[in-house]
Every structure is written in C-alpha cells, then in structure tokens.
Amino acid sequence: MSPKNNKRGESYNQLEAGTKRAKPVQHQRGPEIQPYGKIAKLPIALDEKVCAESAENLNQLIADTMTLRDMYKKHHWQVAGHTFYQLHLLFDKHHGEQDELVDEIAERIQLLGGISLAMAADIAETTMIERPPRGREEVPVQISRLLEAHELILKEARTMAKLATEAGDDGTNDLLVSDVIRTNELQVWFLAEHLVDVPVVRADRGAVAVAGE
Ligand SMILES: [Fe+2]
C-alpha cells in the first residue's frame, strides 16, 4: 500500500467521527407490543367482546380475500388462448379491487383494536380456498376456481354481516355489505358470463339456415 493510500484510509475513519447518533440502529428484536388475538381497546363505544368477534371474523375474511386477490394475479400472468388480452386486463382490474378490499378489511380490524393477519404464511394457513397448482391451467378452470372463491367469500361475508348487525357493530356490517359483498357480486357477473357456452361467430339458428340452403 502506498503512503498516499494510507493517508486516504485515515481520512475515511475521521469522516465517521461524531456521527454515532445519526447512524441507524439495526438488527433489533423485542417483545410484541400486542399478542395476536388480543384486543387493544379504542374509544369507539363498542364492547371488547364485540370487537374481538368482529376482528376474528374479519381475519378469516382477509385470509380468503388475500388468497383470491393473489389468484387473480396468478391468472393475469398465466392466462392463455384467444381471450388472452381481455382476460389479462379483467383479472388485473379485479386484482386491484380485491387489493383495496384487503386494505379496508385490515384497517377495520386494527380500529376494532385487533391485529390483522398480514404475511403470506399466515394467510396460507388460514384460508379456506382450495390451493391451485403452481402450473398453468385452462381458462375455464381458472374462472371456475375464481367463481368458487368468490362464492365462499360471499357466503361468509353475509353470515358475518348478520352477526355484526346483531352485535351492534354497524361499521363492520357496512364494510361487509357495501364493499365486500357488492364488489364480489359484481366480479362474479363479469367472470361467469365467460363460461356461457354461446357461439362466437355463427349463431345456432344461422347455422341451420345455411345448412338448409
Ligand atoms: Fe401485469
């Protein structure tokens, strides 16, 4: 090493002098400030038992909604066939709308004083939606899987909405009915019409007329 380089090394060390308080303190761990499943009560005029029941229900709903959201992205990437372009776009639109629902559900859980599930491993352990394979599937199979996931979510959301109303948790009921149920119903319509087996070019009656010419 040349004397010139030695000097440069010293000057680098001097550059760090006096900066200790400005450096990030990294690689820290500590105890949880709230265990999962417990309620840190906020002043929202709801009993903590009501908050706990709504938070538990919404955590099942978020696990299923995150799974459906991610299945939309899988299908957005892996779709094949002559309807590729329209389904590629439709699946991504629905993915975005489900992603908005995920955020609304998670933030509802937090304001109820609960803790929202968040990480993929926890979602995979909790969801009731059937796991699709890693490989690509045909469009009718992709859409069938999505429809089944939507129906599962609609069933549980309607049950949870009734329970929330009975418990006096109107905010959770409103989220479930106005956002979750309405969005899922609309997406079902847009998907299900793709599985109606109608002719693409020549109408059935037209085919008979042509054949009889
Ligand atoms: Fe994309």
Side-chain angles (χ1 to χ4, degrees):
M1 192 180 284
S2 70
K4 195 180 171 188
N5 282 345
N6 267 338
K7 268 187 187 172
R8 189 178 285 170
E10 277 172 28
S11 69
Y12 281 155
N13 288 337
Q14 284 165 7
L15 279 174
E16 290 188 320
T19 63
K20 193 176 174 188
R21 291 187 62 207
K23 284 184 178 174
V25 183
Q26 299 182 79
H27 309 302
Q28 302 188 68
R29 298 286 186 279
E32 295 175 343
I33 62 169
Q34 180 183 352
Y36 180 77
K38 300 291 183 185
I39 297 295
K41 185 98 173 60
L42 296 178
I44 56 171
L46 276 179
D47 188 84
E48 59 263 33
K49 283 183 185 166
V50 173
C51 293
E53 186 182 336
S54 289
E56 189 182 350
N57 286 337
L58 291 174
N59 264 321
Q60 181 61 54
L61 184 68
I62 203 171
D64 296 326
T65 301
M66 286 174 83
T67 303
L68 175 60
R69 176 199 65 184
D70 294 349
M71 200 194 296
Y72 267 116
K73 205 58 153 177
K74 169 180 167 64
H75 293 345
H76 164 74
W77 295 324
Q78 298 178 359
V79 64
H82 74 283
T83 54
F84 170 84
Y85 188 58
Q86 71 176 76
L87 287 178
H88 182 67
L89 298 182
L90 181 69
F91 290 162
D92 215 26
K93 178 177 182 285
H94 285 193
H95 170 275
E97 291 165 359
Q98 291 292 330
D99 197 40
E100 284 177 23
L101 288 179
V102 165
D103 198 46
E104 288 178 40
I105 297 165
E107 292 179 358
R108 179 84 203 160
I109 294 168
Q110 294 301 136
L111 77 81
L112 287 166
I115 299 177
S116 173
L117 290 178
M119 300 303 289
D122 297 318
I123 298 306
E125 283 176 3
T126 308
T127 186
M128 294 189 295
I129 294 171
E130 182 187 342
R131 180 179 176 172
R134 289 189 181 184
R136 297 172 83 184
E137 294 184 295
E138 297 168 331
V139 163
V141 179
Q142 290 182 316
I143 295 178
S144 293
R145 287 190 186 280
L146 291 167
L147 287 172
E148 287 162 21
H150 276 295
E151 191 159 36
L152 184 146
I153 286 171
L154 281 165
K155 266 187 202 165
E156 70 186 359
R158 287 206 187 92
T159 303
M160 291 172 192
K162 282 196 190 84
L163 290 171
T165 294
E166 286 164 14
D169 184 356
D170 299 328
T172 295
N173 173 272
D174 182 49
L175 169 68
L176 290 165
V177 174
S178 304
D179 298 320
V180 175
I181 292 174
R182 297 288 292 273
T183 300
N184 276 275
E185 285 175 340
L186 193 65
Q187 291 188 352
V188 165
W189 177 39
F190 272 78
L191 285 182
E193 291 299 332
H194 288 85
L195 293 187
V196 179
D197 194 8
V198 290
V200 176
V201 174
R202 192 184 293 261
D204 285 340
R205 207 181 270 180
V208 170
V210 170
E213 276 176 0

